Amino acid sequence: MNETAALYVYYKVAAAQHAVCAVRVRRIQAQLLATWPGLVCELLQRPEAAAGVETWMEAYRHADGITETLIQDIDEAAAAEGLPAPRHGERFVALR
């Protein structure tokens, strides 16, 4: 089993672009689910917005871990959909 258990990607979204970006992320995640069986995806946001800007987080988990290939697929899909940048990705593993 790959030690990398989860990937969290966070970024800023203009509140005015909320609906458009939500559709794009959900489309990306649907494509990823079709390509990566067993993948679990979430889309989260901070409850508060500051100066018309929201902070969003995509979360990805897979029983076999998060591979470099999966990360590349996520990054390429986000760029192709024109999601806001920069996007900051961090990997986490279960606490030992």
Side-chain angles (χ1 to χ4, degrees):
M1 176 183 213
N2 185 327
E3 184 179 15
T4 304
L7 174 69
Y8 297 91
V9 181
Y10 60 96
Y11 49 97
K12 304 290 185 181
V13 174
Q17 293 296 308
H18 179 102
V20 170
C21 288
V23 168
R24 291 176 180 173
V25 174
R26 289 189 175 106
R27 184 170 38 233
I28 289 167
Q29 290 183 335
Q31 293 167 352
L32 290 166
L33 288 170
T35 304
W36 294 87
L39 184 65
V40 175
C41 306
E42 289 183 275
L43 178 57
L44 309 163
Q45 74 177 81
R46 282 197 174 129
E48 69 283 337
V53 178
E54 302 172 348
T55 302
W56 286 18
M57 180 175 294
E58 298 167 31
Y60 299 94
R61 289 177 208 74
H62 197 284
D64 294 332
I66 302 297
T67 66
E68 290 300 322
T69 304
L70 174 55
I71 293 170
Q72 184 176 0
D73 284 356
I74 293 167
D75 291 344
E76 289 174 0
E81 283 288 343
L83 289 181
R87 292 167 51 88
H88 307 280
E90 296 186 23
R91 298 187 223 191
F92 287 81
V93 296
L95 186 65
R96 295 184 195 144

